Every structure is written in C-alpha cells, then in structure tokens.
Amino acid sequence: MKPAFKDKSDEEVRFIQATKLEHRFVAAGTDIIHPGQEDAELYTLFSGWAFRYKSLADGRRQILNFLLPGDLVGLQASLLSASAHGIEALTDVELCTFPRKRIWDLFVKMPALAYEVAWLGSREESLIDENLTSVGQRNASERIAALLISLYRRADALGLVNDHSFQFPLTQQQLADALGLSLVHTSKTWARLRRAGLFAMSGGRLTLLNPRLTARMASLFDRELEPRPLL
C-alpha cells in the first residue's frame, strides 16, 4: 500500500522533536481551539478525529472541514492574532503540540519544512473548497455521497479501512452542519441512501457497499491521494 506520508530526513526529524512541546489529550466534544482565542498553538492530530467550525450569533454552526490523523490543527489560528474559528474534538484525540512562538523558526531554519506547512495549509483549503462546492451545487444525496467518499479515501490512505469499512463517528447533526442541510432533510436523505444500498452502519462503523457508485453519484472521480508531509 502506498504510504500516506512522505519520508523525513534525520535533520528534519531532530528539528521536529526539538520543537515539539508535548502530547496533549482532549476529550470528545471539547474545543481544541475556541473562536477568538489569542494564544492558539499549532498541533498535529496524532490520533482521533476533529473538525473546524464557525458559528453565528444565534447558535447556527457551519462545519468547515474534518480533521483526521496526521492533519495540522490550528495553522491559521496560530498565525493570526486571534482565531477566526473554533476546532472541536469529534472523538477523544491526542495532539502533538508545537508552540506558536516557534513557528517562525521553521521559516528561518528549515525552509523545506516551512514549505510543507504551507502545502498542508493549501491542502486543507482544497478540502474546504470541495465542501463549498457541495453546499453550493450538489443536491442532498450528492452532498452526503461526496462527504462519505472523501472521508473514505482519506481514511483508506491512513490504513483505517478494512473491507470497505471504517470508524464513522459523525452524528447526523454534524453531517447537517457540514453540508448546509436541515437535520430533518439530512436524516431523511441518509435513510433513503441507506435503504438504497449505498452504505451500511453497524457498531459505529460505516461500510461503503459500492465505493465506485458513491464516487460517481458525487461526481468525484478516482484520483490517487499523493503522500503528504507530516509535522
């Protein structure tokens, strides 16, 4: 199987280890970074799932993207004076912490690593672009199919898929918040796709019964995920 992450040189590994502050554990449902936070650190998600979100004054929430192991957490928040969004642990998570005051050292001392951080930021932006396309142009069935196949492919690259099945911790409210749908519309569409044999759920695991059909429904055609940097 093609590895999910690019290899690091010994020098890069030593620099990362010297820069890393600690491992941090955060319980599901807890903010890793809260909106408006002024001292947000930069993290790598070591295990678990999280999501980035923005909320309106009346409590409505838009989930911007989901974060899986190996993803950077808080790049934007650690570079700005105050975070413009929140990041919540979807499951219990373990984080590798990098102090924000050391981020500039990447650009000064390790420009190749700094480029990789910028690459990861661009990758996250592309995931948000895909979700915005879903919200703006896809119907409800296509939105759910697009999210499922995207998460499936990302999980598969991490070795988290067995027999087309992977852990799926999202609630229907979180699906609705990510896809710009009401909870009722999400629930009805989810049930209809499940009855149609698109997927099955059991014990918190989702099984795509026909991944190619799911991809075609979402108009997301096969493209191999290239190995990515890991900080």
PDB file of all heavy atoms in Angstrom, residues 35-73:
ATOM      1  N   PRO A  35     -13.153  29.942  19.290  1.00  0.00           N
ATOM      2  CA  PRO A  35     -13.206  31.170  18.489  1.00  0.00           C
ATOM      3  C   PRO A  35     -12.718  32.378  19.289  1.00  0.00           C
ATOM      4  O   PRO A  35     -13.089  32.564  20.448  1.00  0.00           O
ATOM      5  CB  PRO A  35     -14.699  31.297  18.144  1.00  0.00           C
ATOM      6  CG  PRO A  35     -15.231  29.898  18.230  1.00  0.00           C
ATOM      7  CD  PRO A  35     -14.457  29.252  19.347  1.00  0.00           C
ATOM      8  N   GLY A  36     -11.860  33.176  18.672  1.00  0.00           N
ATOM      9  CA  GLY A  36     -11.335  34.367  19.331  1.00  0.00           C
ATOM     10  C   GLY A  36     -10.120  34.119  20.196  1.00  0.00           C
ATOM     11  O   GLY A  36      -9.558  35.068  20.756  1.00  0.00           O
ATOM     12  N   GLN A  37      -9.667  32.866  20.305  1.00  0.00           N
ATOM     13  CA  GLN A  37      -8.515  32.556  21.150  1.00  0.00           C
ATOM     14  C   GLN A  37      -7.265  33.254  20.618  1.00  0.00           C
ATOM     15  O   GLN A  37      -6.976  33.218  19.427  1.00  0.00           O
ATOM     16  CB  GLN A  37      -8.292  31.045  21.193  1.00  0.00           C
ATOM     17  CG  GLN A  37      -7.164  30.610  22.128  1.00  0.00           C
ATOM     18  CD  GLN A  37      -7.096  29.103  22.297  1.00  0.00           C
ATOM     19  OE1 GLN A  37      -8.079  28.398  22.053  1.00  0.00           O
ATOM     20  NE2 GLN A  37      -5.947  28.603  22.711  1.00  0.00           N
ATOM     21  N   GLU A  38      -6.515  33.877  21.522  1.00  0.00           N
ATOM     22  CA  GLU A  38      -5.362  34.685  21.128  1.00  0.00           C
ATOM     23  C   GLU A  38      -4.024  33.973  21.328  1.00  0.00           C
ATOM     24  O   GLU A  38      -2.987  34.526  20.945  1.00  0.00           O
ATOM     25  CB  GLU A  38      -5.371  36.008  21.898  1.00  0.00           C
ATOM     26  CG  GLU A  38      -6.589  36.880  21.578  1.00  0.00           C
ATOM     27  CD  GLU A  38      -6.583  38.194  22.337  1.00  0.00           C
ATOM     28  OE1 GLU A  38      -5.727  38.348  23.250  1.00  0.00           O
ATOM     29  OE2 GLU A  38      -7.420  39.062  22.040  1.00  0.00           O
ATOM     30  N   ASP A  39      -4.040  32.798  21.928  1.00  0.00           N
ATOM     31  CA  ASP A  39      -2.774  32.111  22.206  1.00  0.00           C
ATOM     32  C   ASP A  39      -2.791  30.686  21.650  1.00  0.00           C
ATOM     33  O   ASP A  39      -2.167  29.786  22.219  1.00  0.00           O
ATOM     34  CB  ASP A  39      -2.501  32.079  23.712  1.00  0.00           C
ATOM     35  CG  ASP A  39      -3.601  31.363  24.494  1.00  0.00           C
ATOM     36  OD1 ASP A  39      -4.656  31.049  23.893  1.00  0.00           O
ATOM     37  OD2 ASP A  39      -3.398  31.110  25.698  1.00  0.00           O
ATOM     38  N   ALA A  40      -3.494  30.481  20.545  1.00  0.00           N
ATOM     39  CA  ALA A  40      -3.627  29.137  19.982  1.00  0.00           C
ATOM     40  C   ALA A  40      -2.278  28.608  19.531  1.00  0.00           C
ATOM     41  O   ALA A  40      -1.495  29.307  18.883  1.00  0.00           O
ATOM     42  CB  ALA A  40      -4.604  29.155  18.810  1.00  0.00           C
ATOM     43  N   GLU A  41      -2.011  27.357  19.878  1.00  0.00           N
ATOM     44  CA  GLU A  41      -0.794  26.698  19.446  1.00  0.00           C
ATOM     45  C   GLU A  41      -1.059  25.975  18.128  1.00  0.00           C
ATOM     46  O   GLU A  41      -2.204  25.882  17.662  1.00  0.00           O
ATOM     47  CB  GLU A  41      -0.331  25.684  20.501  1.00  0.00           C
ATOM     48  CG  GLU A  41      -0.226  26.224  21.909  1.00  0.00           C
ATOM     49  CD  GLU A  41       0.997  27.120  22.138  1.00  0.00           C
ATOM     50  OE1 GLU A  41       1.577  27.617  21.156  1.00  0.00           O
ATOM     51  OE2 GLU A  41       1.361  27.321  23.304  1.00  0.00           O
ATOM     52  N   LEU A  42      -0.010  25.446  17.533  1.00  0.00           N
ATOM     53  CA  LEU A  42      -0.118  24.613  16.342  1.00  0.00           C
ATOM     54  C   LEU A  42       0.001  23.156  16.779  1.00  0.00           C
ATOM     55  O   LEU A  42       0.833  22.825  17.632  1.00  0.00           O
ATOM     56  CB  LEU A  42       1.003  24.954  15.352  1.00  0.00           C
ATOM     57  CG  LEU A  42       1.079  24.131  14.062  1.00  0.00           C
ATOM     58  CD1 LEU A  42      -0.146  24.379  13.197  1.00  0.00           C
ATOM     59  CD2 LEU A  42       2.352  24.459  13.294  1.00  0.00           C
ATOM     60  N   TYR A  43      -0.856  22.301  16.209  1.00  0.00           N
ATOM     61  CA  TYR A  43      -0.867  20.897  16.593  1.00  0.00           C
ATOM     62  C   TYR A  43      -0.821  20.001  15.356  1.00  0.00           C
ATOM     63  O   TYR A  43      -1.231  20.397  14.262  1.00  0.00           O
ATOM     64  CB  TYR A  43      -2.149  20.537  17.356  1.00  0.00           C
ATOM     65  CG  TYR A  43      -2.453  21.402  18.556  1.00  0.00           C
ATOM     66  CD1 TYR A  43      -3.333  22.477  18.457  1.00  0.00           C
ATOM     67  CD2 TYR A  43      -1.883  21.128  19.797  1.00  0.00           C
ATOM     68  CE1 TYR A  43      -3.627  23.264  19.562  1.00  0.00           C
ATOM     69  CE2 TYR A  43      -2.166  21.910  20.904  1.00  0.00           C
ATOM     70  CZ  TYR A  43      -3.051  22.979  20.780  1.00  0.00           C
ATOM     71  OH  TYR A  43      -3.327  23.750  21.880  1.00  0.00           O
ATOM     72  N   THR A  44      -0.333  18.793  15.564  1.00  0.00           N
ATOM     73  CA  THR A  44      -0.567  17.707  14.624  1.00  0.00           C
ATOM     74  C   THR A  44      -1.506  16.727  15.305  1.00  0.00           C
ATOM     75  O   THR A  44      -1.291  16.352  16.467  1.00  0.00           O
ATOM     76  CB  THR A  44       0.743  16.990  14.243  1.00  0.00           C
ATOM     77  OG1 THR A  44       1.572  17.876  13.487  1.00  0.00           O
ATOM     78  CG2 THR A  44       0.454  15.770  13.392  1.00  0.00           C
ATOM     79  N   LEU A  45      -2.554  16.326  14.609  1.00  0.00           N
ATOM     80  CA  LEU A  45      -3.509  15.366  15.155  1.00  0.00           C
ATOM     81  C   LEU A  45      -2.868  13.977  15.102  1.00  0.00           C
ATOM     82  O   LEU A  45      -2.682  13.411  14.029  1.00  0.00           O
ATOM     83  CB  LEU A  45      -4.805  15.412  14.354  1.00  0.00           C
ATOM     84  CG  LEU A  45      -5.975  14.586  14.881  1.00  0.00           C
ATOM     85  CD1 LEU A  45      -6.338  14.986  16.305  1.00  0.00           C
ATOM     86  CD2 LEU A  45      -7.198  14.759  13.975  1.00  0.00           C
ATOM     87  N   PHE A  46      -2.506  13.459  16.271  1.00  0.00           N
ATOM     88  CA  PHE A  46      -1.812  12.172  16.356  1.00  0.00           C
ATOM     89  C   PHE A  46      -2.801  11.008  16.271  1.00  0.00           C
ATOM     90  O   PHE A  46      -2.529   9.996  15.628  1.00  0.00           O
ATOM     91  CB  PHE A  46      -1.021  12.105  17.661  1.00  0.00           C
ATOM     92  CG  PHE A  46      -0.128  10.911  17.788  1.00  0.00           C
ATOM     93  CD1 PHE A  46       1.091  10.863  17.127  1.00  0.00           C
ATOM     94  CD2 PHE A  46      -0.504   9.823  18.566  1.00  0.00           C
ATOM     95  CE1 PHE A  46       1.923   9.752  17.233  1.00  0.00           C
ATOM     96  CE2 PHE A  46       0.311   8.710  18.680  1.00  0.00           C
ATOM     97  CZ  PHE A  46       1.525   8.676  18.015  1.00  0.00           C
ATOM     98  N   SER A  47      -3.955  11.158  16.912  1.00  0.00           N
ATOM     99  CA  SER A  47      -5.000  10.137  16.832  1.00  0.00           C
ATOM    100  C   SER A  47      -6.352  10.785  17.066  1.00  0.00           C
ATOM    101  O   SER A  47      -6.454  11.823  17.718  1.00  0.00           O
ATOM    102  CB  SER A  47      -4.761   9.017  17.860  1.00  0.00           C
ATOM    103  OG  SER A  47      -4.893   9.509  19.178  1.00  0.00           O
ATOM    104  N   GLY A  48      -7.405  10.155  16.520  1.00  0.00           N
ATOM    105  CA  GLY A  48      -8.753  10.687  16.672  1.00  0.00           C
ATOM    106  C   GLY A  48      -9.164  11.592  15.526  1.00  0.00           C
ATOM    107  O   GLY A  48      -8.400  11.830  14.587  1.00  0.00           O
ATOM    108  N   TRP A  49     -10.399  12.094  15.623  1.00  0.00           N
ATOM    109  CA  TRP A  49     -10.986  12.988  14.620  1.00  0.00           C
ATOM    110  C   TRP A  49     -11.363  14.317  15.275  1.00  0.00           C
ATOM    111  O   TRP A  49     -11.708  14.368  16.462  1.00  0.00           O
ATOM    112  CB  TRP A  49     -12.258  12.383  14.037  1.00  0.00           C
ATOM    113  CG  TRP A  49     -12.100  11.174  13.159  1.00  0.00           C
ATOM    114  CD1 TRP A  49     -11.263  10.123  13.347  1.00  0.00           C
ATOM    115  CD2 TRP A  49     -12.835  10.893  11.977  1.00  0.00           C
ATOM    116  NE1 TRP A  49     -11.429   9.199  12.347  1.00  0.00           N
ATOM    117  CE2 TRP A  49     -12.392   9.643  11.496  1.00  0.00           C
ATOM    118  CE3 TRP A  49     -13.823  11.570  11.268  1.00  0.00           C
ATOM    119  CZ2 TRP A  49     -12.912   9.058  10.345  1.00  0.00           C
ATOM    120  CZ3 TRP A  49     -14.346  10.990  10.120  1.00  0.00           C
ATOM    121  CH2 TRP A  49     -13.888   9.751   9.660  1.00  0.00           C
ATOM    122  N   ALA A  50     -11.316  15.385  14.487  1.00  0.00           N
ATOM    123  CA  ALA A  50     -11.737  16.707  14.947  1.00  0.00           C
ATOM    124  C   ALA A  50     -12.398  17.430  13.779  1.00  0.00           C
ATOM    125  O   ALA A  50     -12.426  16.926  12.651  1.00  0.00           O
ATOM    126  CB  ALA A  50     -10.548  17.507  15.475  1.00  0.00           C
ATOM    127  N   PHE A  51     -12.947  18.615  14.039  1.00  0.00           N
ATOM    128  CA  PHE A  51     -13.493  19.422  12.943  1.00  0.00           C
ATOM    129  C   PHE A  51     -13.327  20.900  13.244  1.00  0.00           C
ATOM    130  O   PHE A  51     -13.254  21.322  14.394  1.00  0.00           O
ATOM    131  CB  PHE A  51     -14.961  19.088  12.653  1.00  0.00           C
ATOM    132  CG  PHE A  51     -15.917  19.328  13.799  1.00  0.00           C
ATOM    133  CD1 PHE A  51     -16.455  20.589  14.050  1.00  0.00           C
ATOM    134  CD2 PHE A  51     -16.316  18.276  14.618  1.00  0.00           C
ATOM    135  CE1 PHE A  51     -17.343  20.806  15.087  1.00  0.00           C
ATOM    136  CE2 PHE A  51     -17.201  18.475  15.654  1.00  0.00           C
ATOM    137  CZ  PHE A  51     -17.717  19.744  15.900  1.00  0.00           C
ATOM    138  N   ARG A  52     -13.234  21.663  12.183  1.00  0.00           N
ATOM    139  CA  ARG A  52     -13.103  23.120  12.253  1.00  0.00           C
ATOM    140  C   ARG A  52     -14.460  23.729  11.939  1.00  0.00           C
ATOM    141  O   ARG A  52     -15.152  23.276  11.028  1.00  0.00           O
ATOM    142  CB  ARG A  52     -12.039  23.605  11.261  1.00  0.00           C
ATOM    143  CG  ARG A  52     -11.618  25.048  11.451  1.00  0.00           C
ATOM    144  CD  ARG A  52     -10.212  25.276  10.880  1.00  0.00           C
ATOM    145  NE  ARG A  52     -10.185  25.256   9.440  1.00  0.00           N
ATOM    146  CZ  ARG A  52     -10.320  26.347   8.679  1.00  0.00           C
ATOM    147  NH1 ARG A  52     -10.528  27.527   9.234  1.00  0.00           N
ATOM    148  NH2 ARG A  52     -10.248  26.255   7.378  1.00  0.00           N
ATOM    149  N   TYR A  53     -14.855  24.761  12.679  1.00  0.00           N
ATOM    150  CA  TYR A  53     -16.208  25.300  12.516  1.00  0.00           C
ATOM    151  C   TYR A  53     -16.236  26.816  12.749  1.00  0.00           C
ATOM    152  O   TYR A  53     -15.331  27.401  13.347  1.00  0.00           O
ATOM    153  CB  TYR A  53     -17.174  24.630  13.506  1.00  0.00           C
ATOM    154  CG  TYR A  53     -16.924  25.016  14.954  1.00  0.00           C
ATOM    155  CD1 TYR A  53     -17.565  26.110  15.536  1.00  0.00           C
ATOM    156  CD2 TYR A  53     -16.021  24.301  15.744  1.00  0.00           C
ATOM    157  CE1 TYR A  53     -17.323  26.473  16.850  1.00  0.00           C
ATOM    158  CE2 TYR A  53     -15.770  24.663  17.059  1.00  0.00           C
ATOM    159  CZ  TYR A  53     -16.427  25.743  17.599  1.00  0.00           C
ATOM    160  OH  TYR A  53     -16.173  26.116  18.904  1.00  0.00           O
ATOM    161  N   LYS A  54     -17.308  27.430  12.247  1.00  0.00           N
ATOM    162  CA  LYS A  54     -17.641  28.814  12.568  1.00  0.00           C
ATOM    163  C   LYS A  54     -19.097  28.855  12.998  1.00  0.00           C
ATOM    164  O   LYS A  54     -19.940  28.122  12.466  1.00  0.00           O
ATOM    165  CB  LYS A  54     -17.410  29.745  11.371  1.00  0.00           C
ATOM    166  CG  LYS A  54     -15.946  29.846  10.952  1.00  0.00           C
ATOM    167  CD  LYS A  54     -15.683  31.072  10.096  1.00  0.00           C
ATOM    168  CE  LYS A  54     -15.748  32.341  10.932  1.00  0.00           C
ATOM    169  NZ  LYS A  54     -15.193  33.512  10.201  1.00  0.00           N
ATOM    170  N   SER A  55     -19.398  29.713  13.973  1.00  0.00           N
ATOM    171  CA  SER A  55     -20.761  29.825  14.499  1.00  0.00           C
ATOM    172  C   SER A  55     -21.278  31.241  14.334  1.00  0.00           C
ATOM    173  O   SER A  55     -20.507  32.209  14.374  1.00  0.00           O
ATOM    174  CB  SER A  55     -20.797  29.436  15.982  1.00  0.00           C
ATOM    175  OG  SER A  55     -20.433  28.096  16.171  1.00  0.00           O
ATOM    176  N   LEU A  56     -22.599  31.343  14.147  1.00  0.00           N
ATOM    177  CA  LEU A  56     -23.267  32.635  14.108  1.00  0.00           C
ATOM    178  C   LEU A  56     -23.767  32.995  15.502  1.00  0.00           C
ATOM    179  O   LEU A  56     -23.827  32.144  16.402  1.00  0.00           O
ATOM    180  CB  LEU A  56     -24.429  32.596  13.118  1.00  0.00           C
ATOM    181  CG  LEU A  56     -24.064  32.272  11.668  1.00  0.00           C
ATOM    182  CD1 LEU A  56     -25.318  32.285  10.793  1.00  0.00           C
ATOM    183  CD2 LEU A  56     -23.026  33.246  11.125  1.00  0.00           C
ATOM    184  N   ALA A  57     -24.149  34.255  15.673  1.00  0.00           N
ATOM    185  CA  ALA A  57     -24.558  34.736  16.992  1.00  0.00           C
ATOM    186  C   ALA A  57     -25.769  33.984  17.535  1.00  0.00           C
ATOM    187  O   ALA A  57     -25.931  33.850  18.753  1.00  0.00           O
ATOM    188  CB  ALA A  57     -24.858  36.239  16.916  1.00  0.00           C
ATOM    189  N   ASP A  58     -26.626  33.486  16.636  1.00  0.00           N
ATOM    190  CA  ASP A  58     -27.836  32.782  17.090  1.00  0.00           C
ATOM    191  C   ASP A  58     -27.597  31.293  17.328  1.00  0.00           C
ATOM    192  O   ASP A  58     -28.540  30.539  17.590  1.00  0.00           O
ATOM    193  CB  ASP A  58     -28.974  32.979  16.091  1.00  0.00           C
ATOM    194  CG  ASP A  58     -28.664  32.428  14.708  1.00  0.00           C
ATOM    195  OD1 ASP A  58     -27.588  31.808  14.535  1.00  0.00           O
ATOM    196  OD2 ASP A  58     -29.494  32.604  13.794  1.00  0.00           O
ATOM    197  N   GLY A  59     -26.347  30.841  17.227  1.00  0.00           N
ATOM    198  CA  GLY A  59     -26.034  29.458  17.527  1.00  0.00           C
ATOM    199  C   GLY A  59     -25.908  28.550  16.321  1.00  0.00           C
ATOM    200  O   GLY A  59     -25.447  27.410  16.454  1.00  0.00           O
ATOM    201  N   ARG A  60     -26.316  29.019  15.146  1.00  0.00           N
ATOM    202  CA  ARG A  60     -26.137  28.181  13.957  1.00  0.00           C
ATOM    203  C   ARG A  60     -24.652  27.988  13.691  1.00  0.00           C
ATOM    204  O   ARG A  60     -23.853  28.894  13.899  1.00  0.00           O
ATOM    205  CB  ARG A  60     -26.814  28.827  12.753  1.00  0.00           C
ATOM    206  CG  ARG A  60     -28.337  28.710  12.765  1.00  0.00           C
ATOM    207  CD  ARG A  60     -28.945  29.438  11.588  1.00  0.00           C
ATOM    208  NE  ARG A  60     -28.749  30.886  11.703  1.00  0.00           N
ATOM    209  CZ  ARG A  60     -28.982  31.758  10.724  1.00  0.00           C
ATOM    210  NH1 ARG A  60     -29.380  31.320   9.537  1.00  0.00           N
ATOM    211  NH2 ARG A  60     -28.803  33.051  10.917  1.00  0.00           N
ATOM    212  N   ARG A  61     -24.315  26.792  13.200  1.00  0.00           N
ATOM    213  CA  ARG A  61     -22.908  26.434  13.038  1.00  0.00           C
ATOM    214  C   ARG A  61     -22.662  25.838  11.660  1.00  0.00           C
ATOM    215  O   ARG A  61     -23.458  25.063  11.146  1.00  0.00           O
ATOM    216  CB  ARG A  61     -22.514  25.408  14.115  1.00  0.00           C
ATOM    217  CG  ARG A  61     -21.070  24.946  14.048  1.00  0.00           C
ATOM    218  CD  ARG A  61     -20.733  23.972  15.159  1.00  0.00           C
ATOM    219  NE  ARG A  61     -21.416  22.692  15.005  1.00  0.00           N
ATOM    220  CZ  ARG A  61     -21.250  21.653  15.805  1.00  0.00           C
ATOM    221  NH1 ARG A  61     -20.430  21.762  16.840  1.00  0.00           N
ATOM    222  NH2 ARG A  61     -21.890  20.528  15.590  1.00  0.00           N
ATOM    223  N   GLN A  62     -21.527  26.218  11.069  1.00  0.00           N
ATOM    224  CA  GLN A  62     -21.078  25.607   9.826  1.00  0.00           C
ATOM    225  C   GLN A  62     -19.779  24.861  10.106  1.00  0.00           C
ATOM    226  O   GLN A  62     -18.791  25.465  10.545  1.00  0.00           O
ATOM    227  CB  GLN A  62     -20.828  26.657   8.743  1.00  0.00           C
ATOM    228  CG  GLN A  62     -20.280  26.088   7.435  1.00  0.00           C
ATOM    229  CD  GLN A  62     -21.289  25.200   6.719  1.00  0.00           C
ATOM    230  OE1 GLN A  62     -22.462  25.562   6.592  1.00  0.00           O
ATOM    231  NE2 GLN A  62     -20.851  24.038   6.274  1.00  0.00           N
ATOM    232  N   ILE A  63     -19.783  23.553   9.890  1.00  0.00           N
ATOM    233  CA  ILE A  63     -18.549  22.786   9.969  1.00  0.00           C
ATOM    234  C   ILE A  63     -17.801  22.973   8.654  1.00  0.00           C
ATOM    235  O   ILE A  63     -18.340  22.701   7.581  1.00  0.00           O
ATOM    236  CB  ILE A  63     -18.829  21.303  10.246  1.00  0.00           C
ATOM    237  CG1 ILE A  63     -19.367  21.138  11.681  1.00  0.00           C
ATOM    238  CG2 ILE A  63     -17.571  20.460  10.056  1.00  0.00           C
ATOM    239  CD1 ILE A  63     -19.704  19.707  12.062  1.00  0.00           C
ATOM    240  N   LEU A  64     -16.567  23.451   8.740  1.00  0.00           N
ATOM    241  CA  LEU A  64     -15.796  23.800   7.556  1.00  0.00           C
ATOM    242  C   LEU A  64     -15.077  22.598   6.967  1.00  0.00           C
ATOM    243  O   LEU A  64     -15.011  22.444   5.749  1.00  0.00           O
ATOM    244  CB  LEU A  64     -14.786  24.900   7.905  1.00  0.00           C
ATOM    245  CG  LEU A  64     -15.395  26.174   8.504  1.00  0.00           C
ATOM    246  CD1 LEU A  64     -14.298  27.091   9.020  1.00  0.00           C
ATOM    247  CD2 LEU A  64     -16.247  26.883   7.467  1.00  0.00           C
ATOM    248  N   ASN A  65     -14.501  21.769   7.820  1.00  0.00           N
ATOM    249  CA  ASN A  65     -13.826  20.563   7.340  1.00  0.00           C
ATOM    250  C   ASN A  65     -13.536  19.642   8.517  1.00  0.00           C
ATOM    251  O   ASN A  65     -13.542  20.071   9.684  1.00  0.00           O
ATOM    252  CB  ASN A  65     -12.535  20.892   6.588  1.00  0.00           C
ATOM    253  CG  ASN A  65     -11.496  21.572   7.440  1.00  0.00           C
ATOM    254  OD1 ASN A  65     -11.742  22.636   8.002  1.00  0.00           O
ATOM    255  ND2 ASN A  65     -10.323  20.973   7.551  1.00  0.00           N
ATOM    256  N   PHE A  66     -13.292  18.378   8.203  1.00  0.00           N
ATOM    257  CA  PHE A  66     -12.985  17.380   9.219  1.00  0.00           C
ATOM    258  C   PHE A  66     -11.488  17.090   9.192  1.00  0.00           C
ATOM    259  O   PHE A  66     -10.852  17.113   8.140  1.00  0.00           O
ATOM    260  CB  PHE A  66     -13.783  16.101   8.970  1.00  0.00           C
ATOM    261  CG  PHE A  66     -15.261  16.279   9.175  1.00  0.00           C
ATOM    262  CD1 PHE A  66     -16.107  16.524   8.095  1.00  0.00           C
ATOM    263  CD2 PHE A  66     -15.811  16.226  10.453  1.00  0.00           C
ATOM    264  CE1 PHE A  66     -17.456  16.714   8.278  1.00  0.00           C
ATOM    265  CE2 PHE A  66     -17.169  16.418  10.642  1.00  0.00           C
ATOM    266  CZ  PHE A  66     -18.006  16.657   9.568  1.00  0.00           C
ATOM    267  N   LEU A  67     -10.936  16.813  10.370  1.00  0.00           N
ATOM    268  CA  LEU A  67      -9.509  16.581  10.537  1.00  0.00           C
ATOM    269  C   LEU A  67      -9.281  15.150  10.988  1.00  0.00           C
ATOM    270  O   LEU A  67      -9.920  14.677  11.933  1.00  0.00           O
ATOM    271  CB  LEU A  67      -8.942  17.558  11.570  1.00  0.00           C
ATOM    272  CG  LEU A  67      -9.147  19.036  11.225  1.00  0.00           C
ATOM    273  CD1 LEU A  67      -8.968  19.898  12.466  1.00  0.00           C
ATOM    274  CD2 LEU A  67      -8.164  19.466  10.151  1.00  0.00           C
ATOM    275  N   LEU A  68      -8.375  14.461  10.312  1.00  0.00           N
ATOM    276  CA  LEU A  68      -8.033  13.076  10.596  1.00  0.00           C
ATOM    277  C   LEU A  68      -6.566  12.988  11.012  1.00  0.00           C
ATOM    278  O   LEU A  68      -5.820  13.959  10.863  1.00  0.00           O
ATOM    279  CB  LEU A  68      -8.307  12.199   9.363  1.00  0.00           C
ATOM    280  CG  LEU A  68      -9.732  11.650   9.184  1.00  0.00           C
ATOM    281  CD1 LEU A  68     -10.747  12.761   9.012  1.00  0.00           C
ATOM    282  CD2 LEU A  68      -9.786  10.692   7.994  1.00  0.00           C
ATOM    283  N   PRO A  69      -6.135  11.837  11.545  1.00  0.00           N
ATOM    284  CA  PRO A  69      -4.746  11.713  11.995  1.00  0.00           C
ATOM    285  C   PRO A  69      -3.736  12.147  10.936  1.00  0.00           C
ATOM    286  O   PRO A  69      -3.874  11.839   9.756  1.00  0.00           O
ATOM    287  CB  PRO A  69      -4.618  10.218  12.304  1.00  0.00           C
ATOM    288  CG  PRO A  69      -5.992   9.828  12.746  1.00  0.00           C
ATOM    289  CD  PRO A  69      -6.909  10.614  11.850  1.00  0.00           C
ATOM    290  N   GLY A  70      -2.727  12.899  11.394  1.00  0.00           N
ATOM    291  CA  GLY A  70      -1.698  13.429  10.509  1.00  0.00           C
ATOM    292  C   GLY A  70      -1.965  14.835  10.036  1.00  0.00           C
ATOM    293  O   GLY A  70      -1.061  15.500   9.522  1.00  0.00           O
ATOM    294  N   ASP A  71      -3.206  15.324  10.214  1.00  0.00           N
ATOM    295  CA  ASP A  71      -3.539  16.673   9.762  1.00  0.00           C
ATOM    296  C   ASP A  71      -3.002  17.719  10.736  1.00  0.00           C
ATOM    297  O   ASP A  71      -2.948  17.499  11.955  1.00  0.00           O
ATOM    298  CB  ASP A  71      -5.060  16.841   9.639  1.00  0.00           C
ATOM    299  CG  ASP A  71      -5.640  16.102   8.444  1.00  0.00           C
ATOM    300  OD1 ASP A  71      -4.860  15.719   7.549  1.00  0.00           O
ATOM    301  OD2 ASP A  71      -6.865  15.905   8.402  1.00  0.00           O
ATOM    302  N   LEU A  72      -2.638  18.888  10.194  1.00  0.00           N
ATOM    303  CA  LEU A  72      -2.304  20.028  11.038  1.00  0.00           C
ATOM    304  C   LEU A  72      -3.576  20.604  11.638  1.00  0.00           C
ATOM    305  O   LEU A  72      -4.607  20.690  10.969  1.00  0.00           O
ATOM    306  CB  LEU A  72      -1.609  21.118  10.220  1.00  0.00           C
ATOM    307  CG  LEU A  72      -0.099  21.021   9.993  1.00  0.00           C
ATOM    308  CD1 LEU A  72       0.385  22.269   9.273  1.00  0.00           C
ATOM    309  CD2 LEU A  72       0.661  20.820  11.290  1.00  0.00           C
ATOM    310  N   VAL A  73      -3.484  21.015  12.876  1.00  0.00           N
ATOM    311  CA  VAL A  73      -4.616  21.613  13.586  1.00  0.00           C
ATOM    312  C   VAL A  73      -4.214  23.003  14.049  1.00  0.00           C
ATOM    313  O   VAL A  73      -3.246  23.155  14.800  1.00  0.00           O
ATOM    314  CB  VAL A  73      -5.037  20.757  14.806  1.00  0.00           C
ATOM    315  CG1 VAL A  73      -6.197  21.403  15.553  1.00  0.00           C
ATOM    316  CG2 VAL A  73      -5.400  19.342  14.375  1.00  0.00           C
TER     317      VAL A  73
END
